[in-house]
């Protein structure tokens, strides 16, 4: 049997606040949760995130450390 009086109180209708507004209701061990970021204002979920040019970053790395297959060899006698 489980011990009694050792578990925290469960709040099945805990409110989640972001910027002073209730954004959702969840179950929690606290009656109110205050968050800075949630799925409604996170750039990944809202589609406003910046896309990073990963290929350009890789090419720049390879050029910097001399591993690029497209770097000039200086040999013009081909």
């Amino acid at each position: 049997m489980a011990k009694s009086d050792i578990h925290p109180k469960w709040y099945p209708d805990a409110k989640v606040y972001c910027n002073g507004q209730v954004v959702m209701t969840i179950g929690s061990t606290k009656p109110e949760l205050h968050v800075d970021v949630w799925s409604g204002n996170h750039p990944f979920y809202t589609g406003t995130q910046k896309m990073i040019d990963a290929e350009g970053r890789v090419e720049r790395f390879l050029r910097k450390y001399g591993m690029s297959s497209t770097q000039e060899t200086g040999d013009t006698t081909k």
Side-chain angles (χ1 to χ4, degrees):
M1 301 271 319
K3 292 183 179 181
S4 61
D5 299 328
I6 64 166
H7 299 287
K9 180 168 174 45
W10 182 254
Y11 299 94
D13 295 325
K15 306 277 190 256
V16 178
Y17 292 90
C18 184
N19 296 329
Q21 296 179 348
V22 176
V23 293
M24 68 178 78
T25 303
I26 62 169
S28 177
T29 57
K30 295 186 177 196
E32 293 182 353
L33 300 166
H34 296 272
V35 297
D36 295 328
V37 178
W38 67 291
S39 60
N41 67 356
H42 191 277
F44 179 79
Y45 297 106
T46 59
T48 59
Q49 72 180 11
K50 291 185 193 176
M51 293 305 221
I52 297 173
D53 182 17
E55 184 177 352
R57 295 176 80 185
V58 171
E59 290 298 322
R60 186 172 44 220
F61 174 84
L62 293 176
R63 265 196 324 270
K64 181 177 180 181
Y65 293 104
M67 294 181 262
S68 177
S69 61
T70 60
Q71 73 183 24
E72 294 182 25
T73 60
D75 185 15
T76 59
T77 60
K78 288 185 180 179

